Amino acid sequence: MRAPSTALAVSLLLMFLSCSRPPQGGDDGEVVILFTGDVLLDRGVRPTAEKRGVGYLFEEVQPYFEEADAVVINLECPLTDTVLPVNKQYIFRADADWASELRRVGVTHAALANNHTIDQGRGGLRDTHRHLCDAGITPMGYGLSQAERFSPTVISKSGQHIAIFNALDLPLENWLPAEDAPDICQATGEQLAQAVHEYHSAHPETRIAVVLHWGTEFQTLPTIHQRRMARRLSDAGADAIIGHHPHVLQPIDSIGSTLVFYSLGNFVFDQQPPLARTSMMARLHFRAGEPVAWDTISVQIVGNRPVVKEP
């Protein structure tokens, strides 16, 4: 498929944002999962977190978090008090006790398969997993073995089950994969599609969402590689694909019955270009025997924190 022009992509994105489908009927038997983009608690965000608290960063969006059954963020920094940085260009670290503050505002799940949770080495990654678990937040895309990293997290409610895979589709700086040590899920399209296919075959009634860190930074259109990978995951049985890493919004698409959010953009972040301060939350509504319904919540990042834009 030939990629659309930038103007067309932006118009398609605006059309999807204005015409997103709300759930039909009541709440009985419905599972609502809210997904956000990148959450950074260091660099330009750190002074605000230290002065006013992590809760302040999420104050404007917390009501939306509280309405959902689960809230999935992409945690773009390790949570550790140990400073042992990996030799790479951008290195982040957030305080360990901020995990409990993330849980307090309503975060339930944190995607760890990205290019920054490894910034303080394997010890920092292990700490992040432990601090999140201690706070009551489920880490995703992490494990001590390849099999564990490729295993999805399952959210269950009212007899429904939603399995969420989390993987990184980018090279890492100065980081070698390890089989029997703390690591994140790095996966090729074929590896991830195979894992999704096998899980779908074994659990045909379970809905599947894939959270991916992929794409090219500051590009408003998905790459050909992203599009091909999305097609493979759709064929494998994914019901939804939710992406981040580009730091800007990319189009929403559908492949058959599979929803694709190529990039949700930033969420709590300190980048200043206008496109990097425009974001959205994706809210997915799962009901047994029905296609996944969805809507989006438009967000503007003001003072490094997300503020919901009025319709």
Side-chain angles (χ1 to χ4, degrees), residues 185-264:
C185 183
Q186 292 180 261
T188 66
E190 290 301 326
Q191 288 174 323
L192 191 56
Q194 181 65 25
V196 169
H197 171 72
E198 291 176 359
Y199 191 90
H200 178 62
S201 297
H203 307 85
E205 301 302 318
T206 298
R207 315 301 283 273
I208 296 175
V210 181
V211 175
L212 272 172
H213 208 65
W214 63 352
T216 303
E217 290 185 336
F218 305 110
Q219 297 301 307
T220 57
L221 290 177
T223 63
I224 293 174
H225 173 73
Q226 282 175 275
R227 293 181 182 276
R228 288 174 175 167
M229 191 169 180
R231 171 68 65 180
R232 286 197 290 266
L233 291 171
S234 174
D235 292 343
D239 295 282
I241 300 166
I242 302 95
H244 30 66
H245 175 66
H247 299 300
V248 296
L249 290 174
Q250 291 184 344
I252 304 166
D253 199 359
S254 61
I255 303 173
S257 60
T258 305
L259 294 171
V260 185
F261 299 84
Y262 280 105
S263 174
L264 297 181

Side-chain angles (χ1 to χ4, degrees), residues 59-82:
E59 190 174 60
E60 296 289 329
V61 296
Q62 187 172 350
Y64 295 88
F65 285 13
E66 292 172 348
E67 292 173 354
D69 294 303
V71 175
V72 181
I73 66 168
N74 176 55
L75 183 63
E76 195 83 343
C77 53
L79 294 167
T80 178
D81 294 330
T82 301

Side-chain angles (χ1 to χ4, degrees), residues 2 21 24 36 52-53 58 61 65 97 100 110 124-125 136 166 197-198 200 208 228 233 239 241 251 262 279 283 302:
R2 185 168 59 89
R21 300 169 294 164
Q24 303 297 314
T36 83
R52 307 196 66 169
F58 294 88
V61 296
F65 285 13
D97 58 5
S100 60
L125 182 59
N166 176 216
H197 171 72
E198 291 176 359
H200 178 62
I208 296 175
R228 288 174 175 167
L233 291 171
D239 295 282
I241 300 166
Y262 280 105
S279 178
R283 188 162 49 187
V302 180

Side-chain angles (χ1 to χ4, degrees), residues 3 16 51 63 82 95 97 100-101 111 126 151 180 215 229 246 257 269 309:
F16 272 112
K51 181 178 180 179
T82 301
D95 294 359
D97 58 5
S100 60
E101 296 191 47
R126 183 190 298 110
S151 296
D180 298 313
M229 191 169 180
S257 60
F269 226 89
K309 295 168 67 174

Side-chain angles (χ1 to χ4, degrees), residues 38-42 44-46 48-49 52-63 65 105 266-272 276-281 298-309:
D38 298 339
V39 171
L40 173 65
L41 301 177
D42 198 10
V45 181
R46 176 177 280 277
T48 303
R52 307 196 66 169
V54 170
Y56 170 76
L57 296 169
F58 294 88
E59 190 174 60
E60 296 289 329
V61 296
Q62 187 172 350
F65 285 13
V105 300
N266 290 327
F267 195 64
V268 173
F269 226 89
D270 62 352
Q271 292 170 332
Q272 295 307 308
R277 290 186 282 114
T278 300
S279 178
M280 66 180 171
M281 295 180 277
S298 296
V299 168
Q300 190 72 29
I301 300 173
V302 180
N304 302 331
R305 66 184 193 135
V307 175
V308 175
K309 295 168 67 174

